[in-house]
Structure formats: C-alpha cells, structure tokens
Amino acid sequence: MALHKCPECRHKISQNAMICPHCGFSFETASLEKYKQTLEQRRLHNQQINKKSAKLQFIWLIIFSLFIALAGYFTS
C-alpha cells in the first residue's frame, strides 16, 4: 500500500483514499483543480507582497545610506 501526503494537512494517507481522514480534503478531480487554482492565487498574492517588501527595503537602504553619508560629512 503506497502512501502520499495530503496537500491540505500534510499527513500521510493511502493513495486509494478519496477523502483525507484527518482534514476531510477530497481527492476528486474537481476538488484537486480547485485546490490548484487556490494555490496559484496564493502564489501570485505572495509574489506581490514580496515585490512591495523589496521596494520598501530598498527605500530604507537609501534613507540609511543618506543618513550615514550626512553624519560622516558633518563630523569631519
């Protein structure tokens, strides 16, 4: 009997199971397609958040660099 992980709860279950006994995730084709669409939406959302975070970090880097440059200029 082969085992695989449930994509929802990550518990190991039988490949013959149609429903996860731990979380109730259905392994029917329609449910799997819906789950794949949800994962793609999450991936795109996380990608947008990462882009915003990178921009914010870059802005803070510029501000910090300007502060250090000005502090060095005025102390010498």
Side-chain angles (χ1 to χ4, degrees), residues 30-71:
S31 296
L32 289 175
E33 287 301 319
K34 184 177 177 184
Y35 184 75
K36 288 178 184 178
Q37 289 174 353
T38 303
L39 285 179
E40 183 63 21
Q41 289 174 351
R42 287 181 191 168
R43 187 188 68 77
L44 293 173
H45 179 70
N46 288 340
Q47 188 177 31
Q48 290 174 347
I49 290 173
N50 289 340
K51 285 181 182 178
K52 289 178 183 177
S53 177
K55 288 178 185 177
L56 184 62
Q57 289 174 358
F58 183 68
I59 290 170
W60 279 111
L61 175 66
I62 290 172
I63 292 170
F64 182 71
S65 299
L66 287 173
F67 181 76
I68 296 297
L70 289 174

Side-chain angles (χ1 to χ4, degrees), residues 2-48:
L3 299 176
H4 68 280
K5 288 186 178 181
C6 171
E8 192 69 30
C9 67
R10 309 303 284 166
H11 282 93
K12 290 183 179 180
I13 59 171
S14 169
Q15 280 187 326
N16 297 333
M18 292 305 293
I19 296 176
C20 176
H22 303 284
C23 68
F25 181 80
S26 175
F27 289 96
E28 294 177 2
T29 306
S31 296
L32 289 175
E33 287 301 319
K34 184 177 177 184
Y35 184 75
K36 288 178 184 178
Q37 289 174 353
T38 303
L39 285 179
E40 183 63 21
Q41 289 174 351
R42 287 181 191 168
R43 187 188 68 77
L44 293 173
H45 179 70
N46 288 340
Q47 188 177 31
Q48 290 174 347

